[in-house]
């Protein structure tokens, strides 16, 4: 600062006070800004990010809100969030019920992104993961009422993979079938065509962000049938005979006095 | 100070150079601001896509990428390493502003500038007291603050509230409630703090000031010997502290305005009836004698001497 360069003796007390004042002001402003930024991270469930968007936390670090993806979207699907609209101000999103993603094969929105907030590694739109369709209302869905609406199934760009119609018995009529639209998350890109075209005044099938649409299996879970296939045989050799709990006078009596003897002993099994 | 100090600001310049001559740089600046906003608007308005995007990031003629370096810096401290396109765009912008003066962005491009200039004009019309005057260094603190918040929250934090991009993006893509922030800046400058936003607080201006610290294009008070102390340049300058060292310097002091705070707006050139100032480069060694010692003394000193 030019003022400091002057020959004036530095008034230490005043300097410290000024520094403390401006630092305190900035701390308050920074806290407010940080709190606001934190709040803005909560993306509304109906706001979907463009294809290839990084996970929301990373996306807000990467997106510079330039709107080039919006400009290159040929179907005007994407818009930039305006202040007070929900998603973080200036970031791109779309609402499936208004204009869904048409899943362009050349993915122009991803190509337009200068920062990589939309991951350039996404080269097959079929791998996009904008959300997952969920048949949220299994009571009002016309197919659940026994009709053959099938619209969501028909419009699905990944028909017969992302949405299939599963036959179930119609208990109400007793002698009809219900063709329940069933989403398979592995194939669903979250484009939202199904939600857009659901004929009900309020869509029975909706695209939700993955965190709402799916559960998650514990990391340590093993599926026996998959393990067997991998191993090419039974996972456990032989048969393990676990102790039988049998009814009887004593609760702890395992094949023991006063209770019932097991009716069947597995031949060759050890205790 | 002289008798002329009491004349309305710029009256003399208008008298000697004509209204156009006394507002040349101001008019050019407004044209430039309209031009840069218009470039972005003719796409969405008329389907003429010369420039796509906005001030944060754009693509000109499908080839030239430009990125706001401060926005990208926040992205980087928020731990996202951007793709090459964005980095290249930011480097181009940095190079240009490093050359022509970082704060040229403030006075020739930034869409908030007409807003705060309007607020300042009305502020003077209404005779509002100058109000809260935070230290000029506050903006550097705010710049540090927004980088810290970006790092701490892992977001491009300033872009949540940045009134500059909010206004420009609003005009190009849709405003929402973004106008409230712009109105806030206007009212702040009008009633709370004279020239408060652009000259004291705006961290974007602080950043560009740092970028253009050694810029080539500078205003020089080459003809400072002719200064008649009308004080009009000080009255119109948004960063008036930058003028003193050049204008009041002795012969051996440089007449160049070297402070990074100078926005190269050229209003001092407009408003000077004796043409003290001109645009030049920082290596200009044209002789610029200071005023002789007698003239340098303030009226008070002169009275005391007598």
């Amino acid at each position: 600062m030019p003022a400091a360069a002057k020959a004036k003796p530095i008034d230490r007390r005043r300097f410290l006070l000024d520094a403390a004042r401006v630092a305190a002001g900035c701390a308050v402003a920074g806290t407010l800004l940080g709190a606001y930024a934190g709040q803005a991270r909560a993306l509304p469930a109906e706001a979907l990010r463009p294809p290839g968007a990084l996970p929301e936390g990373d996306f807000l670090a990467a997106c510079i809100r330039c709107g080039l993806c919006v400009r290159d979207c040929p179907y005007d699907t994407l818009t930039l969030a305006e202040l007070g609209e929900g998603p973080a101000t200036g970031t791109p999103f779309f609402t499936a019920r208004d204009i869904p993603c048409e899943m362009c094969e050349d993915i122009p929105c991803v190509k337009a992104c200068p920062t990589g907030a939309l991951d350039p590694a996404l080269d097959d739109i079929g791998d996009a993961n904008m959300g997952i369709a969920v048949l949220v209302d299994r009571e009002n869905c016309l197919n659940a009422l026994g009709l053959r609406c099938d619209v969501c199934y028909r419009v699905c760009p990944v028909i017969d993979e992302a949405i299939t119609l599963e036959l179930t018995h119609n208990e109400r009529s007793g002698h009809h079938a219900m063709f329940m639209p069933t989403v398979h998350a592995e194939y669903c890109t979250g484009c939202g065509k199904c939600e857009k075209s659901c004929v009900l005044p309020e869509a029975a099938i909706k695209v939700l962000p993955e965190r709402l649409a799916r559960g998650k299996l514990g990391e340590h879970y093993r599926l026996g049938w998959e393990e067997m296939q991998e191993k090419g045989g039974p996972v456990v050799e032989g048969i393990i005979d676990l102790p039988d709990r049998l009814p009887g006078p004593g609760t702890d009596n395992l094949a023991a006095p006063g209770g019932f003897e097991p009716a069947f002993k597995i031949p060759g099994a050890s205790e | 100070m002289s008798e002329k100090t009491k004349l309305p600001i710029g009256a003399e310049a208008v008298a000697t150079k004509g209204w156009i001559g006394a507002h040349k740089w101001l008019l050019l600046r407004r044209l430039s601001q309209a031009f840069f906003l218009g470039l972005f608007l003719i796409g969405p308005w008329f389907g003429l896509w010369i420039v796509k995007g906005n001030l944060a990031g754009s693509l000109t003629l499908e080839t030239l990428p430009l990125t706001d370096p401060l926005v990208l810096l926040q992205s980087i401290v928020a731990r996202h390493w951007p793709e090459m396109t964005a980095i290249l765009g930011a480097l181009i912008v940095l190079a240009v502003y490093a050359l022509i003066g970082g704060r040229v962005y403030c006075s020739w491009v930034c869409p908030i500038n007409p807003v705060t200039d309007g607020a300042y004009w009305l502020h003077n019309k209404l005779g509002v007291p100058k109000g809260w005057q935070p230290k000029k260094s506050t903006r550097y603190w705010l710049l540090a603050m927004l980088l810290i918040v970006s790092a701490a929250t892992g977001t491009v934090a300033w872009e949540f509230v940045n009134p500059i991009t909010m206004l420009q993006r609003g005009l190009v893509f849709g405003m929402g409630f973004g106008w409230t922030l712009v109105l806030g800046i206007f009212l702040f400058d009008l009633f709370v703090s004279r020239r408060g936003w652009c000259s004291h607080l705006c961290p974007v201006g602080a950043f560009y000031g740092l970028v253009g610290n050694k810029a080539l294009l500078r205003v020089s008070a080459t003809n400072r010997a002719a200064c008649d102390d009308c004080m009009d340049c000080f009255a119109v300058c948004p960063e008036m502290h930058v003028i003193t060292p050049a204008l009041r310097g002795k012969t051996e002091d440089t007449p160049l305005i070297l402070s990074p705070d100078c926005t190269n707006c050229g209003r001092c050139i407009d408003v000077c009836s004796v043409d003290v100032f001109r645009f030049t480069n920082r290596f200009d060694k044209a002789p610029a004698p200071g005023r002789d010692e007698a003239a340098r003394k303030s009226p008070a000193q002169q009275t005391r001497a007598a």
Side-chain angles (χ1 to χ4, degrees):
Chain A
M1 291 288 101
K6 276 184 192 160
K8 245 200 245 169
I10 296 168
D11 185 336
R12 185 182 300 156
R13 182 185 163 78
R14 181 160 172 190
F15 170 77
L16 287 175
L17 266 178
D18 281 347
R21 184 176 296 158
V22 73
C26 284
V28 171
T31 310
L32 288 175
L33 181 60
Y36 180 60
Q39 242 176 8
R41 245 183 302 205
L43 185 68
E46 63 274 19
L48 303 174
R49 292 295 185 200
L54 301 177
E56 187 63 10
D58 300 337
F59 185 77
L60 289 182
C63 174
I64 59 167
R65 301 130 201 252
C66 65
L68 287 174
C69 53
V70 173
R71 290 298 183 227
D72 280 7
C73 174
Y75 299 97
D76 291 336
T77 299
L78 298 173
T79 51
L80 290 189
E82 295 171 0
L83 187 64
E85 203 173 17
T89 312
T91 55
F93 75 103
F94 70 99
T95 309
R97 190 65 164 165
D98 297 338
I99 309 178
C101 172
E102 295 288 339
M103 288 176 62
C104 311
E105 281 190 4
D106 53 344
I107 333 182
C109 48
V110 172
K111 288 217 180 91
C113 180
T115 65
L118 307 181
D119 191 352
L122 180 76
D123 50 7
D124 178 1
I125 189 67
D127 296 336
N129 202 357
M130 298 171 270
I132 290 157
V134 179
L135 184 63
V136 288
D137 193 341
R138 297 179 64 90
E139 291 170 355
N140 285 318
C141 170
L142 292 185
N143 278 31
L145 298 176
L147 302 176
R148 289 298 304 274
C149 163
D150 297 0
V151 167
C152 54
Y153 164 75
R154 294 277 166 212
V155 299
C156 178
V158 205
I159 185 170
D160 280 327
E161 289 177 349
I163 302 184
T164 56
L165 295 176
E166 303 293 328
L167 261 71
T168 53
H169 178 57
N170 187 337
E171 296 284 353
R172 181 182 54 78
S173 73
H175 54 275
H176 294 98
M178 296 194 300
F179 291 72
M180 292 308 290
T182 306
V183 178
H184 304 278
E186 187 189 343
Y187 298 105
C188 177
T189 62
C191 73
K193 297 277 281 188
C194 52
E195 179 178 344
K196 168 69 181 172
S197 41
C198 178
V199 301
L200 300 187
E202 178 73 44
I205 190 164
K206 287 183 172 144
V207 177
L208 301 178
E210 192 167 345
R211 69 190 156 88
L212 296 183
R214 299 203 75 179
K216 195 181 172 202
L217 217 51
E219 297 282 343
H220 60 290
Y221 279 51
R222 296 288 176 270
L223 304 176
W225 52 94
E226 282 180 1
E227 298 289 320
M228 264 175 85
Q229 204 159 28
E230 204 171 299
K231 198 179 167 197
V235 183
V236 179
E237 297 297 342
I239 301 169
I240 300 172
D241 186 23
L242 296 173
D244 302 300
R245 221 170 236 276
L246 295 168
T251 48
D252 305 313
N253 298 350
L254 302 172
F260 294 88
E261 286 290 315
F264 176 74
K265 281 214 192 267
I266 300 169
S270 58
E271 277 296 307
Chain B
M1 302 207 190
S2 66
E3 275 307 300
K4 290 172 181 170
T5 313
K6 298 189 178 65
L7 288 173
I9 295 157
E12 260 185 296
V14 173
T16 51
K17 301 197 274 192
W19 194 90
I20 298 282
H23 293 82
K24 190 174 75 179
W25 291 106
L26 180 65
L27 290 172
L28 282 173
R29 214 153 56 76
R30 294 286 178 252
L31 273 178
S32 159
Q33 288 160 348
F35 172 76
F36 283 109
L37 188 57
L39 270 185
F40 288 96
L41 283 175
I42 54 173
W45 284 3
F46 307 111
L48 206 60
W49 294 105
I50 297 170
V51 179
K52 279 194 278 196
N54 56 37
L55 282 179
S58 65
L59 188 64
T60 304
L61 297 171
E62 297 293 334
T63 44
L64 174 70
L66 294 175
T67 316
D68 185 308
L70 178 57
V71 177
L72 206 65
L73 182 62
Q74 292 173 72
S75 184
I76 291 169
V77 299
R79 292 177 299 285
H80 170 77
W81 188 250
E83 289 293 311
M84 211 47 221
T85 316
I87 297 174
L88 190 68
L91 289 177
I92 295 171
V93 173
L94 280 175
V96 169
Y97 283 117
L99 214 61
I100 64 169
R103 295 207 64 198
V104 165
Y105 175 83
C106 298
S107 57
W108 292 79
V109 179
C110 179
I112 286 288
N113 178 276
V115 175
T116 54
D117 272 1
Y120 179 65
W121 177 82
L122 194 58
H123 176 98
N124 279 350
K125 277 267 172 231
L126 298 179
V128 182
K130 69 177 174 183
W132 180 50
Q133 295 288 289
K135 279 185 179 299
K136 293 273 183 190
S137 59
T138 311
R139 52 186 164 205
Y140 295 104
W141 286 82
L142 283 171
L143 177 61
M145 179 276 285
L146 69 90
L147 289 175
I148 290 170
V149 174
S150 286
T153 60
T155 60
V156 184
W158 183 243
E159 290 311 291
F160 285 107
V161 291
N162 185 355
I164 300 169
T165 45
M166 198 79 76
L167 174 60
Q168 206 250 358
R169 193 192 315 116
L171 292 170
V172 179
F173 284 91
M175 186 69 87
F177 285 99
W179 60 269
T180 53
L181 269 171
V182 179
L183 181 68
I185 297 283
F186 182 84
L187 293 176
F188 176 78
D189 264 28
L190 178 56
F191 293 120
V192 181
S193 174
R194 176 187 297 170
R195 295 220 191 261
W197 182 254
C198 297
S199 300
H200 295 88
L201 298 179
C202 178
V204 181
F207 174 80
Y208 278 104
L210 293 175
V211 169
N213 197 15
K214 295 281 172 242
L216 214 57
L217 180 67
R218 302 269 64 154
V219 174
S220 169
T222 314
N223 194 20
R224 56 191 168 184
C227 175
D228 60 3
D229 277 332
C230 75
M231 302 300 279
D232 282 359
C233 54
F234 287 99
V236 294
C237 182
E239 303 276 357
M240 54 172 105
H241 61 281
V242 309
I243 296 180
T244 318
L247 183 64
R248 302 284 198 242
K250 296 185 186 125
T251 307
E252 61 270 24
D253 297 328
T254 176
L256 291 162
I257 294 179
L258 291 175
S259 166
D261 289 344
C262 172
T263 68
N264 278 356
C265 73
R267 271 303 273 157
C268 53
I269 306 177
D270 274 348
V271 89
C272 182
S273 61
V274 291
D275 289 331
V276 165
F277 300 96
R278 63 188 176 94
F279 272 119
T280 180
N281 64 72
R282 72 180 298 121
F283 304 112
D284 189 353
K285 292 273 183 271
R291 285 174 296 164
D292 57 61
E293 283 304 308
R296 277 173 54 79
K297 280 181 188 155
S298 69
Q301 284 170 313
Q302 284 170 348
T303 326
R304 230 178 296 137

